[in-house]
Amino acid sequence: MKAITDPQHILDSGLAQIRKQFDVPDGFPAEVLAAASTAAAEAATRSPSQHVDRTAMNFVTLDPAASTDLDQAF
């Protein structure tokens, strides 16, 4: 993953124009942030024993043979 940094904030006005043109919010509603915080806190308390080990299951993937992310596996 590549991160873009903009220390001089050159992109700010352009991105603001795009958000305005396409009516894109520049943040998340408070209830969404609260739900995400709750979910993260709950996930942090789960122990590994609550997870099912499915490493022995066979699966296929739509990814190319050399792919390592396998995000289209089923």
Side-chain angles (χ1 to χ4, degrees):
M1 180 183 211
K2 193 166 205 161
I4 297 174
T5 59
D6 186 25
Q8 286 116 8
H9 305 286
I10 296 168
L11 298 174
D12 286 349
S13 65
L15 292 173
Q17 289 174 9
I18 291 169
R19 281 194 295 273
K20 183 177 180 180
Q21 179 181 352
F22 294 102
D23 197 27
V24 177
D26 62 354
F28 292 99
E31 62 271 12
V32 172
L33 295 173
S37 180
T38 299
E42 290 173 358
T45 63
R46 273 190 245 135
S47 67
S49 64
Q50 292 174 298
H51 296 281
V52 178
D53 180 358
R54 293 189 173 100
T55 55
M57 288 181 79
N58 293 324
F59 67 91
V60 295
T61 180
L62 299 176
D63 292 302
S67 182
T68 58
D69 63 347
L70 306 178
D71 56 341
Q72 285 91 19
F74 55 95

